[in-house]
């Protein structure tokens, strides 16, 4: 059986979790939280980092930080995870969904300007499959209309736009360590704050609306309730697990890139025969091998391929259902058709990609796909 995903345990997770237990401080913002945050700052040059319990929570923090109020509008792709939108809806925002590019699920930047109104407060760039959105042009629009840019970098760890780290290009970014992502802690996330104006408040929101973090650094002599907030920080057990993963990030990334390249090379003949499309990586983007997907011509072709692989005990999966057509949002959406988003909903297929997937297994999967398309 080849599952779609299998969490990879690097080896030191247990050791560091035991270390947390013997240190006797298990709640958040301790030794391992600090080690992880320092790792991210040093390796990727992020200005300010806070571990969170999920990417969803980091996005909710972003919505609080940019002070989303009832009626504010936020522009984002429809082809994304529920949390990208839900985080802003929780604070009363109206979501204005933009279509994806034709050949890539990322937001089509050409379509954004027409959607901006005097209520627009932010653009959310989702780096689908860890492949960068066109950030220079998104930031130009944001500057012109005085909007915030939030990067949903859930899938984009260790990925780059013109050699600049994804997560460092917007005002705020959110990463995920859910166990379907490249680097995992079961559930977990990271808030990156690049806009200096939000740094101080981010710590307060993180610690239930208190200035506890300042107190522990000895900057104030008592702590109390100073703002809104919630419990967004993970326990030290989660941070310890995450740190074991981070120590192995280069190894994990190298293996994932190897798998991705093998898939690409073996499936390219089917693309060359114009039967499927493989991911397109723009010149400005790097590939962090978060995901290997292919795009079929029709929904039936895609669904039958899923069945064909499943008959051989291989689990491939489709991905997002366009949010503008979701049960929750369809009546709130303004009727615009988003044809590229719908096309990815219908035709995109994700193949197994995890550290322990062997070259032979990849070959087997690719041969079955070739058999299906009679190539
Ligand atoms: C995984 C994912 C999320 C949610 O991450 P969690 O850590 O599970 O909250 C949000 N946005 C995108 C694009 C994702 O892929």
């Amino acid at each position: 059986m080849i599952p779609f995903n299998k969490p990879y345990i690097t080896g030191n997770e247990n050791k560091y979790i035991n270390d947390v237990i013997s240190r006797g401080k298990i709640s958040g913002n301790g030794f391992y939280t600090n080690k992880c945050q320092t790792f991210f700052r040093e390796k990727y040059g992020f200005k300010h980092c806070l571990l969170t319990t999920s990417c969803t929570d980091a996005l909710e923090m972003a919505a609080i930080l940019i002070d989303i109020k009832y009626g504010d509008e936020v522009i984002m792709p429809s082809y994304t995870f529920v949390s990208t939108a839900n985080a802003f809806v929780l604070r009363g925002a109206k979501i204005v969904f933009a279509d994806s590019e034709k050949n890539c699920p990322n937001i089509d930047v050409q379509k954004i300007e027409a959607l901006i109104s005097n209520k627009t407060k932010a653009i959310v760039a989702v780096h689908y499959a860890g492949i960068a959105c066109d950030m220079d042009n998104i930031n130009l629009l944001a500057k012109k209309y005085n909007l915030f840019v939030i990067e949903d970098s859930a899938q984009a760890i260790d990925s780059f736009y013109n050699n600049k780290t994804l997560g460092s290009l917007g005002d705020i970014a959110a990463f995920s360590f859910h166990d379907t992502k490249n680097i995992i802690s079961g559930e977990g996330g990271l808030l990156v704050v690049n806009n200096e104006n939000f740094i101080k408040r981010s710590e307060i929101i993180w610690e239930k609306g208190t200035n506890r973090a300042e107190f522990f650094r000895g900057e104030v002599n008592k702590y109390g309730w100073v703002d809104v907030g919630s419990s967004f920080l993970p326990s030290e057990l989660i941070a310890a697990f995450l740190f074991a993963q981070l120590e192995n990030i280069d190894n994990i990334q190298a293996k994932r890139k190897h798998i991705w390249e093998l898939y690409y090379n073996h499936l390219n003949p089917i693309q060359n025969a114009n039967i499927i499309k493989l991911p397109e990586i723009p010149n400005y983007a790097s590939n962090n091998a978060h995901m290997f997907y292919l795009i079929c011509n029709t929904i039936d072709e895609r669904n039958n391929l899923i069945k064909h692989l499943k008959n051989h005990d291989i689990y491939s999966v489709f991905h997002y259902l366009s949010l503008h057509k979701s049960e929750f949002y369809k009546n709130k959406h303004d009727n615009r058709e988003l044809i590229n988003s719908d096309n990815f909903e219908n035709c995109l297929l994700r193949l197994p990609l995890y550290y322990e997937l062997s070259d032979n297994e990849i070959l087997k999967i690719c041969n079955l796909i070739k058999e299906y398309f009679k190539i």
Side-chain angles (χ1 to χ4, degrees):
M1 200 268 274
I2 304 180
F4 170 68
N5 181 52
K6 191 173 163 198
Y8 173 58
I9 308 301
T10 68
N12 277 337
E13 285 83 353
N14 269 320
K15 186 174 136 197
Y16 295 158
I17 287 172
N18 281 325
D19 186 41
V20 170
I21 294 166
S22 57
R23 280 168 183 275
K25 183 194 179 333
I26 300 170
S27 60
N29 197 9
F31 180 77
Y32 283 98
T33 299
N34 189 34
K35 274 179 101 65
C36 292
Q37 291 173 177
T38 303
F39 176 95
F40 288 117
R41 282 199 309 271
E42 287 178 353
K43 186 166 172 83
Y44 298 115
F46 298 141
K47 211 171 275 170
H48 185 69
C49 296
L50 293 172
L51 290 192
T52 57
T53 42
S54 63
C55 177
T56 302
D57 269 356
L59 289 165
E60 287 177 23
M61 286 182 74
I64 298 173
L65 280 169
I66 65 171
D67 206 19
I68 291 288
K69 293 207 170 64
Y70 180 79
D72 287 345
E73 293 178 3
V74 178
I75 298 171
M76 65 179 66
S78 176
Y79 194 74
T80 184
F81 190 60
V82 175
S83 298
T84 318
N86 192 65
F88 298 91
V89 169
L90 271 176
R91 312 217 67 79
K94 176 177 190 288
I95 308 299
V96 179
F97 288 112
D99 206 357
S100 298
E101 291 177 31
K102 187 169 189 306
N103 294 321
C104 165
N106 283 345
I107 192 167
D108 184 345
V109 179
Q110 304 303 323
K111 305 233 172 83
I112 294 177
E113 192 159 12
L115 302 175
I116 295 173
S117 78
N118 58 10
K119 291 184 178 157
T120 309
K121 190 118 190 211
I123 302 168
V124 184
V126 182
H127 305 300
Y128 186 81
I131 296 165
C133 296
D134 184 0
M135 290 308 292
D136 280 350
N137 284 317
I138 291 174
N139 280 334
L140 272 176
L141 277 175
K143 202 161 179 204
K144 182 168 168 192
Y145 293 97
N146 200 18
L147 310 174
F148 294 114
V149 174
I150 313 294
E151 295 178 78
D152 182 338
S153 303
Q155 306 173 12
I157 190 82
D158 201 53
S159 203
F160 301 86
Y161 172 84
N162 286 333
N163 298 320
K164 286 176 256 175
T165 318
L166 297 189
S168 71
L169 298 157
D171 294 282
I172 300 171
F175 288 89
S176 174
F177 309 118
H178 184 268
D179 73 6
T180 50
K181 306 300 202 274
N182 293 26
I183 297 294
I184 62 173
S185 60
E187 305 279 351
L190 176 74
L191 180 84
V192 174
V193 182
N194 300 309
N195 182 331
E196 307 242 352
N197 297 331
F198 295 140
I199 290 179
K200 189 160 177 227
R201 192 164 177 240
S202 68
E203 275 185 344
I204 291 167
I205 292 166
W206 191 56
E207 287 260 31
K208 299 113 182 154
T210 72
N211 56 349
R212 194 164 172 273
E214 261 182 313
F215 173 73
F216 275 107
R217 283 196 302 266
E219 293 165 15
V220 290
N221 56 15
K222 56 183 172 24
Y223 81 86
W225 189 13
V226 295
D227 200 337
V228 296
S230 190
S231 186
F232 287 119
L233 70 173
S235 111
E236 275 288 291
L237 298 169
I238 302 269
F241 189 106
L242 181 64
F243 189 67
Q245 295 266 317
L246 292 177
E247 283 185 329
N248 282 286
I249 191 167
D250 292 338
N251 174 35
I252 291 170
Q253 288 301 93
K255 182 68 195 285
R256 293 185 74 100
K257 285 176 194 170
H258 167 79
I259 293 169
W260 200 99
E261 293 292 332
L262 265 189
Y263 268 134
Y264 195 95
N265 294 337
H266 284 305
L267 296 176
N268 205 21
I270 320 180
Q271 170 167 251
N272 289 338
N274 284 321
I275 294 170
I276 57 169
K277 283 195 197 120
L278 299 181
E280 270 184 24
I281 317 257
N283 285 334
Y284 53 67
S286 72
N287 175 18
N288 74 343
H290 170 60
M291 185 194 300
F292 195 91
Y293 67 81
L294 55 88
I295 298 162
C296 296
N297 279 317
T298 66
I299 184 168
D300 288 341
E301 199 173 273
R302 194 267 316 262
N303 292 348
N304 288 330
L305 177 53
I306 292 176
K307 277 186 209 144
H308 177 69
L309 293 171
K310 189 157 174 255
N311 288 339
H312 293 85
D313 253 357
I314 292 162
Y315 291 82
S316 61
V317 289
F318 55 85
H319 209 185
Y320 301 128
L321 307 177
S322 294
L323 294 181
H324 72 286
K325 294 198 305 191
S326 63
E327 187 175 322
F328 179 64
Y329 224 82
K330 65 182 180 221
N331 297 327
K332 304 174 184 74
H333 177 67
D334 52 26
N335 287 328
R336 274 174 304 116
E337 279 202 71
L338 304 175
I339 55 170
N340 296 330
S341 180
D342 292 346
N343 185 51
F344 292 117
E345 165 177 333
N346 292 332
C347 301
L348 186 143
L349 174 67
R350 296 182 291 159
L351 298 176
L353 203 177
Y354 51 88
Y355 188 93
E356 286 162 89
L357 191 64
S358 72
D359 289 8
N360 274 338
E361 288 171 321
I362 297 163
L363 205 61
K364 181 177 168 194
I365 295 168
C366 292
N367 284 337
L368 282 166
I369 296 172
K370 285 177 178 157
E371 179 188 292
Y372 175 81
F373 287 114
K374 302 185 171 64
I375 286 278

